[in-house]
Amino acid sequence: AEQKVAGHRYDVSPAHLIPKSDYPFFLPKSQDEGFIFTLNPEAELRQQRSVLVQSRVGVCERANGSGYVSRTVCGPQTVEWQSHSWRRTGDDTWWTYSPDTLAAVDAPFVSCHKMQIEGHPGLCKASLPSGDLLLTISLNNDELHKLGETFQRAVSLLREWEV
């Protein structure tokens, strides 16, 4: 099914695409605001990881200088996150991760919260820039070490689907 975002057109595999009718109420449903796909549709439901694809400019306009997304992906200088370890900030209920660099002291790319499921490591969302797109990737806290690999897989799928 064809999806459009930020001037790009993607022919997303039906197995990967999450239909707009299945979006939670707080996510954009309009055609030009983005789409969500599953990185691993073959996995058991609780192991599936989703990616929200949005226009970076659109997200930054809506953020209007507030929130952590403004500091990480909307600033004039991109903060490098891929070649660094992560610094955790927060408590056991809500926490964030920033690249462990001086430039990224207050640049949380990943935000997490505790789940009320016994043994669950916590649920996180990573908001990462890819050119003029913003990819928001869902992952468990214990999958943070694989974020670079997960991001590359998402970018690779988007390149494969672009028409």
Side-chain angles (χ1 to χ4, degrees):
E2 188 169 294
Q3 303 296 313
K4 295 177 190 165
V5 61
H8 300 272
R9 289 181 22 235
Y10 299 97
D11 186 15
V12 182
S13 147
H16 288 268
L17 187 65
I18 296 177
K20 300 239 184 224
S21 57
D22 289 352
Y23 285 15
F25 71 91
F26 53 85
L27 286 178
K29 286 190 172 40
S30 95
Q31 289 304 318
D32 57 351
E33 285 191 46
F35 63 95
I36 304 173
F37 70 90
T38 304
L39 272 173
N40 52 345
E42 68 290 341
E44 175 204 334
L45 196 57
R46 284 171 53 146
Q47 300 305 314
Q48 289 182 9
R49 297 296 167 253
S50 65
V51 179
L52 169 62
V53 181
Q54 295 175 287
S55 157
R56 193 168 163 181
V57 170
V59 168
C60 292
E61 283 173 355
R62 284 193 300 279
N64 195 21
S66 67
Y68 73 87
V69 171
S70 293
R71 295 194 302 272
T72 55
V73 299
C74 300
Q77 231 166 326
T78 307
V79 176
E80 177 54 47
W81 63 272
Q82 291 197 61
S83 54
H84 301 284
S85 56
W86 294 100
R87 182 187 308 125
R88 181 177 166 149
T89 312
D91 56 33
D92 288 340
T93 305
W94 296 96
W95 62 97
T96 61
Y97 290 100
S98 301
D100 198 5
T101 66
L102 282 174
V105 166
D106 191 24
F109 281 85
V110 184
S111 62
C112 307
H113 64 272
K114 184 178 181 174
M115 297 290 290
Q116 294 303 323
I117 301 169
E118 179 108 15
H120 195 287
L123 192 61
C124 302
K125 293 224 174 282
S127 298
L128 306 169
S130 177
D132 57 355
L133 300 175
L134 177 66
L135 307 185
T136 304
I137 301 172
S138 69
L139 66 156
N140 287 338
N141 188 60
D142 61 359
E143 296 170 326
L144 187 67
H145 67 282
K146 293 192 298 192
L147 182 57
E149 183 182 311
T150 304
F151 174 76
Q152 292 306 333
R153 169 122 173 85
V155 169
S156 169
L157 283 170
L158 287 170
R159 280 195 193 115
E160 194 179 303
W161 296 330
E162 192 157 13
V163 290

